[in-house]
Amino acid sequence: MNERTLHVLEFNKVIDLLLEETASSVGKEAVQKLTPQTDIEIVQRLQNETDEALHVLMLDKTVPFSQVYDITESLKRSRIGSMLDTTECLQVAQTIYTGRNLKSFIENVEESFPLLEEIAEEITPLKFLEKEIKRKIDDHGDIVDDASAKLRGIRQTIRTYETRIRERLQQLTRTKSKMLSDAIVTIRNNRYVLPVKHEYRSAIGGIVHDQSSSGQTLFMEPRAVIDLNNQLQQAILQEKQEIDVILQQLTSEIATHEESLLINIKVIANLDCIFARARLAVKMKAAKPTLNEQGIIDMKQARHPLIPMEHVVASDIAIGDDYHAIVITGPNTGGKTVTLKTIGLCTLMAQSGLQIPAFDGCKLAVFNKVFADIGDEQSIEQNLSTFSSHMTNIVNIMEQVDEKSLVLFDELGAGTDPQEGAALAMAILDKVINCEARVVATTHYPELKAYGYNREFVMNASVEFDVETLRPTYRLLMGVPGRSNAFEISDRLGLRKEIIEHAKSYLGVDSKNVENMIAALEKSRNEAEKKLEEANRILEESEQLRADLQKEWNTFEQKKMELYKKAEEKAEKALQKAREEAQIIVDEVRQMKDKAMWKEHEWIEARKMLDEAQPELVKGEKREDVQADQQELEVGDEIKHKTLQQTGQVIEKKNKNEYVIQVGVMKITAKRKDLVFVKKAKDEKADSPSRPVSHMISSRGGTVKTELDLRGERYEDALLKLEKYIDDALVQGYPRVTIIHGKGTGALRKGVEKYIQSHPFIKSHRLGGQNEGGSGVTVIEFQ
């Protein structure tokens, strides 16, 4: 990327903002190396990395960037055999710890972030090396006693010598206190001494190591401790030698893992840079751009990244789709240059993996080259004027521009004769547009106001100026060239009317027509904006109305469900009451003398029918049901009991409003309002009188008998019927069924038994009891 462009667009100031968001020195170094990329795949990956980091921050997670040190130089020294000190070793351990924590954090965060996980995967934990360093060096940078057995022994010897020396010197302080300036033991030149008065030097005897500033006190090592001090110094020297051995061992271990440690540092720096980009995006309220290679830029409410949010004016900027060039006209200090820098700087930021300060959905192209000719760059040393300086830069741009370029011209053609400058500006624009590059230019020349209307791929634009306040609004108006507003401003400032009218008479017809056209365009745009605001207002009101209606509907649905729930509870209570009443009837009947007429499994089935009955809300009655309820019932009619939700048959009519019905094995007296007519009684031929109704149970899936009679069937046909019957009984949920196979030769009974033994859902089976048919019947129980 062009270094001059980076400087002119102040990309370095964006880097400065990014540096403030880093957490480590290695991260700062990575940020300082950040430059715009030109490969769209690389740029897309950078953007995706920033977006993943942003989502991690949105989870309100603190990224564990604890202390990280740049240990590169230490690793180089370890490789060539130079011994690292304790501080350097601790920095290595701390860096290992940070890398390990970062890797664990990214791998264990709630959501999946594939790119960050891929980057963190390169970190080698090296926990054993970190542990070894921390085991031998404490947090203050001192080698611990247990770093080696030899060091522990040496330090124990040192403490012993120190104790003996202090004891002897303290004894002298008690016996020779009058000869001492102070009764203390101190150290000079790493040897234990006493502060002796000058006149008692000979009385104490020994070696003088120092004296006070007045010369009245001598710091002497008495003869009694000279040998002990010598032995202590020897032990201290041994300690230093052992510490060097330990540090050399750690240095060698660190050098062994130099490559992994360098990769760890690189990865930590990269992650720090990525999360710095994400934090800057949060501060700027930036958005991830959609990238393309077609030269399309489309930003809604784009802001200059370096202007504080409370002062910057956002603009909608689009180029590269229907038109390739924008010519911006308007007064000085109106914001033209800011617009140029916004486009250029946002492009550079996007190609560096930074999100841009604009609304979501913005689009930016990835350019191979970005050129900018902005600002007054006179060179006194080179004797170049403003025009010459700009032209030198433009010549350089013309030699390099192509279809993958973005070109930004500020005050194109300025600094020379207006007519020649305007002509030169149009020729330069034509050249750049013919190269299919994307170009944005600002100018004061009125000739360029009509330029966009005569070129297919050029769009006029201007920066708005408020004549009432005599101040620019800094808003970019696409499709409308700028007006000079000189006459309006002069009038507002009090210039006499006749002078203004006289000045207008000097204007040519073409100039007046252009000004009138621009004024008409501005009027149309203002009206369109007002209508858009009104439409937005109506849309907001409609959305609010829709939200209110949705809220009301939700309230209605909630109340409806509450009513349904109450109805279900009421039905459940009624059903429970019916169950209790039916159970009483069943218990009473079972106590009757003719109990032997009923089979045990029929009682169980009847009970099951009561237990499985569920209340169902009827949300709306059909017309046929209403008519059926009004119909008078006859004996034999099939009916449905509303509360029990079971079908049955009328067996007796007591009166017009009361009937006795048969439901399964139960006879119940029921009111007419509780019964729903289903159909008239069946033909006598259709019903088999040979079997009582109690041998059948009605279910929602149809009627299946609780016993199967295979007597008289051929062997193969009997087994086929048995297989189908077992499946039907399982679907109905019967706990047990009865198979009637008769006694005969016993072949059919054996076939039935063999099939039952191989069936996975049959829990057990037995022959019938005394009142159940004996060996001619097999009773099956299901799982």
Side-chain angles (χ1 to χ4, degrees):
M1 192 60 67
N2 190 302
E3 288 294 331
R4 184 177 184 279
T5 298
L6 297 177
H7 172 71
V8 168
L9 294 177
E10 300 177 295
F11 183 71
N12 62 305
K13 292 186 178 179
V14 175
I15 295 298
D16 290 340
L17 293 177
L18 199 56
L19 287 171
E20 296 177 5
E21 304 302 326
T22 56
S24 65
S25 59
V26 293
K28 293 183 188 299
E29 187 176 346
V31 166
Q32 288 171 337
K33 293 178 180 177
L34 192 65
T35 55
Q37 301 297 310
T38 56
D39 187 324
I40 190 169
E41 291 185 0
I42 295 176
V43 176
Q44 188 65 64
R45 180 182 175 89
L46 291 173
Q47 285 291 343
N48 290 338
E49 289 172 354
T50 304
D51 195 53
E52 285 191 2
L54 184 61
H55 278 79
V56 172
L57 298 180
M58 292 302 180
L59 293 173
D60 200 21
K61 297 291 183 181
T62 301
V63 188
F65 281 110
S66 51
Q67 287 182 324
V68 182
Y69 301 94
D70 187 356
I71 58 174
T72 308
E73 291 301 321
S74 298
L75 294 175
K76 289 180 181 178
R77 288 179 52 237
S78 71
R79 185 177 68 245
I80 62 177
S82 188
M83 185 181 71
L84 303 183
D85 60 27
T86 56
T87 300
E88 290 174 305
C89 291
L90 281 180
Q91 288 177 353
V92 171
Q94 182 61 39
T95 302
I96 294 173
Y97 172 78
T98 300
R100 184 163 51 83
N101 262 14
L102 267 176
K103 183 174 184 177
S104 176
F105 169 80
I106 292 173
E107 289 176 346
N108 296 315
V109 73
E110 287 89 340
E111 299 180 18
S112 176
F113 300 100
L115 292 180
L116 295 180
E117 290 170 6
E118 180 183 334
I119 294 170
E121 184 63 28
E122 296 184 48
I123 295 176
T124 305
L126 297 174
K127 190 173 182 179
F128 63 93
L129 180 56
E130 175 198 345
K131 187 176 180 181
E132 183 68 8
I133 295 172
K134 293 288 185 71
R135 187 180 70 82
K136 295 182 177 181
I137 305 174
D138 63 22
D139 293 338
H140 302 292
D142 297 324
I143 301 294
V144 299
D145 293 354
D146 292 332
S148 72
K150 185 175 181 180
L151 181 63
R152 188 188 315 111
I154 292 172
R155 286 187 172 172
Q156 183 61 44
T157 301
I158 289 173
R159 284 191 284 271
T160 300
Y161 285 141
E162 288 177 338
T163 301
R164 291 173 61 188
I165 291 170
R166 285 184 175 276
E167 286 176 351
R168 292 196 180 184
L169 291 178
Q170 286 173 356
Q171 184 178 3
L172 287 174
T173 59
R174 291 193 293 271
T175 59
K176 306 290 186 180
S177 59
K178 292 182 179 179
M179 302 179 184
L180 303 178
S181 299
D182 199 354
I184 61 171
V185 177
T186 184
I187 296 175
R188 289 292 186 276
N189 298 328
N190 294 323
R191 300 177 76 89
Y192 286 91
V193 296
L194 293 175
V196 180
K197 294 177 181 178
H198 188 276
E199 59 269 25
Y200 295 110
R201 172 178 179 176
S202 300
I204 294 295
I207 302 171
V208 177
H209 288 279
D210 196 5
Q211 66 179 12
S212 65
S213 56
S214 63
Q216 296 302 312
T217 300
L218 302 177
F219 293 95
M220 295 183 64
E221 179 183 1
R223 295 190 191 92
V225 296
I226 289 176
D227 288 341
L228 287 174
N229 260 331
N230 289 338
Q231 293 171 346
L232 175 61
Q233 293 304 311
Q234 186 65 31
I236 291 173
L237 181 61
Q238 293 174 353
E239 177 191 33
K240 185 180 183 307
Q241 291 172 345
E242 181 61 19
I243 287 175
D244 289 346
V245 170
I246 293 169
L247 289 176
Q248 192 62 57
Q249 290 173 347
L250 288 177
T251 301
S252 299
E253 187 71 20
I254 291 169
T256 303
H257 301 283
E258 178 195 8
E259 185 177 351
S260 296
L261 288 167
L262 287 173
I263 292 174
N264 285 6
I265 282 291
K266 182 179 177 182
V267 173
I268 292 170
N270 188 20
L271 287 172
D272 194 2
C273 180
I274 291 170
F275 278 98
R277 300 200 303 259
R279 282 188 282 268
L280 186 61
V282 173
K283 280 191 174 181
M284 286 188 174
K285 296 183 178 179
K288 177 186 176 184
T290 301
L291 303 172
N292 66 85
E293 292 183 291
Q294 290 74 46
I296 298 173
I297 296 175
D298 187 3
M299 297 184 288
K300 303 297 183 185
Q301 296 299 290
R303 294 171 274 112
H304 192 287
L306 302 178
I307 300 178
M309 292 183 62
E310 60 271 17
H311 298 139
V312 71
V313 176
S315 296
D316 295 344
I317 302 170
I319 186 176
D321 195 357
D322 297 330
Y323 46 89
H324 298 167
I326 300 176
V327 178
I328 306 175
T329 52
N332 282 329
T333 69
K336 300 192 301 298
T337 303
V338 170
T339 301
L340 277 186
K341 288 188 175 182
T342 299
I343 296 171
L345 200 48
C346 285
T347 299
L348 297 179
M349 288 173 63
Q351 292 184 214
S352 302
L354 291 161
Q355 295 190 356
I356 63 169
F359 282 0
D360 288 336
C362 51
K363 300 177 183 177
L364 280 175
V366 176
F367 295 100
N368 289 342
K369 302 168 186 174
V370 178
F371 301 104
D373 182 62
I374 299 174
D376 185 359
E377 299 186 14
Q378 295 186 61
S379 176
I380 298 175
E381 293 83 358
Q382 298 179 27
N383 195 27
L384 293 175
S385 66
T386 299
F387 176 78
S388 299
S389 176
H390 279 289
M391 194 51 59
T392 300
N393 188 35
I394 290 171
V395 168
N396 183 49
I397 292 172
M398 291 294 110
E399 292 174 353
Q400 302 181 59
V401 69
D402 58 22
E403 71 279 3
K404 292 290 186 180
S405 299
L406 172 65
V407 185
L408 307 171
F409 290 126
D410 190 26
E411 301 298 343
L412 183 59
T416 187
D417 178 78
Q419 289 186 339
E420 292 181 356
L424 195 57
M426 288 187 283
I428 292 170
L429 289 174
D430 284 340
K431 173 63 177 175
V432 176
I433 293 169
N434 288 337
C435 291
E436 297 186 1
R438 302 300 183 260
V439 56
V440 183
T442 68
T443 182
H444 280 300
Y445 294 135
E447 290 83 354
L448 267 71
K449 294 179 182 179
Y451 180 82
Y453 293 102
N454 300 322
R455 300 295 189 280
E456 183 180 359
F457 297 109
V458 181
M459 172 65 71
N460 275 320
S462 62
V463 284
E464 191 177 52
F465 189 86
D466 190 341
V467 180
E468 297 297 323
T469 62
L470 302 181
R471 290 183 179 179
T473 66
Y474 302 104
R475 290 179 59 215
L476 181 67
L477 306 178
M478 298 297 294
V480 181
R483 298 171 60 195
S484 65
N485 299 304
F487 296 144
E488 289 82 354
I489 294 173
S490 299
D491 182 51
R492 292 283 298 172
L493 293 175
L495 188 64
R496 295 171 61 181
K497 296 283 187 183
E498 58 268 23
I499 297 176
I500 293 173
E501 292 301 323
H502 187 59
K504 288 181 179 179
S505 68
Y506 286 111
L507 284 176
V509 175
D510 291 342
S511 297
K512 290 181 180 179
N513 289 338
V514 170
E515 289 297 316
N516 291 336
M517 176 191 69
I518 294 173
L521 286 173
E522 286 185 349
K523 181 179 179 182
S524 298
R525 183 185 183 89
N526 291 334
E527 290 177 354
E529 287 182 348
K530 288 180 181 178
K531 290 181 179 179
L532 179 61
E533 289 178 1
E534 179 66 17
N536 288 334
R537 185 186 62 79
I538 294 173
L539 178 62
E540 289 177 0
E541 291 177 355
S542 300
E543 288 293 334
Q544 184 61 44
L545 180 60
R546 178 180 177 278
D548 293 342
L549 289 174
Q550 185 65 44
K551 184 178 179 181
E552 291 294 329
W553 176 258
N554 292 340
T555 303
F556 166 75
E557 285 292 322
Q558 184 178 356
K559 289 183 178 179
K560 182 177 74 172
M561 294 306 297
E562 289 175 356
L563 291 174
Y564 282 160
K565 186 176 180 181
K566 289 180 180 179
E568 287 176 353
E569 292 174 352
K570 185 176 180 181
E572 176 64 28
K573 290 179 180 178
L575 177 59
Q576 184 62 33
K577 183 178 179 181
R579 283 175 179 166
E580 293 171 356
E581 292 175 352
Q583 185 62 46
I584 293 171
I585 296 171
V586 171
D587 292 342
E588 290 176 352
V589 173
R590 293 181 75 174
Q591 295 174 6
M592 294 172 63
K593 293 180 180 180
D594 58 345
K595 177 179 178 182
M597 297 173 59
W598 304 83
K599 295 183 179 180
E600 182 65 24
H601 65 83
E602 292 173 346
W603 296 103
I604 294 172
E605 290 163 2
R607 176 61 182 271
K608 181 175 181 292
M609 179 188 70
L610 290 173
D611 291 341
E612 291 182 348
Q614 295 296 329
E616 295 181 1
L617 288 177
V618 181
K619 297 181 181 179
E621 292 184 321
K622 297 182 180 179
R623 183 176 181 84
E624 304 92 278
D625 294 339
V626 175
Q627 293 175 348
D629 282 350
Q630 296 173 352
Q631 182 174 341
E632 187 173 347
L633 303 178
E634 302 293 340
V635 175
D637 288 350
E638 188 173 346
I639 51 83
K640 181 177 181 181
H641 197 288
K642 291 182 179 178
T643 303
L644 297 179
Q645 288 295 306
Q646 298 291 327
T647 56
Q649 192 178 42
V650 177
I651 59 175
E652 182 183 346
K653 180 179 179 182
K654 286 192 172 183
N655 52 55
K656 187 176 180 179
N657 294 319
E658 197 172 28
Y659 298 84
V660 177
I661 63 173
Q662 179 86 37
V663 178
V665 298
M666 298 184 300
K667 290 182 180 179
I668 301 173
T669 300
K671 300 291 185 181
R672 177 63 184 86
K673 62 183 179 65
D674 295 328
L675 303 177
V676 177
F677 171 76
V678 176
K679 59 183 177 180
K680 298 298 290 182
K682 295 182 181 178
D683 219 357
E684 289 185 6
K685 295 180 181 179
D687 287 326
S688 175
S690 61
R691 294 194 180 277
V693 71
S694 62
H695 283 211
M696 303 177 70
I697 293 182
S698 176
S699 70
R700 294 173 186 171
T703 302
V704 178
K705 298 178 181 180
T706 59
E707 64 182 29
L708 174 65
D709 192 349
L710 298 177
R711 289 176 297 180
E713 297 285 345
R714 294 176 63 248
Y715 184 87
E716 292 79 11
D717 295 338
L719 291 183
L720 288 174
K721 284 188 176 182
L722 174 64
E723 181 180 1
K724 183 178 184 305
Y725 176 75
I726 293 296
D727 290 340
D728 293 339
L730 284 169
V731 171
Q732 293 300 323
Y734 294 160
R736 66 178 59 82
V737 294
T738 301
I739 309 299
I740 303 173
H741 43 67
K743 298 179 181 179
T745 61
L748 186 57
R749 176 177 58 78
K750 291 179 181 179
V752 170
E753 183 176 6
K754 182 178 179 182
Y755 175 81
I756 291 171
Q757 289 174 345
S758 64
H759 201 288
F761 294 100
I762 295 178
K763 179 180 179 183
S764 64
H765 66 280
R766 62 178 174 81
L767 294 176
Q770 183 177 358
N771 295 326
E772 295 177 327
S775 61
V777 171
T778 297
V779 179
I780 298 172
E781 290 190 1
F782 296 111
Q783 293 183 359

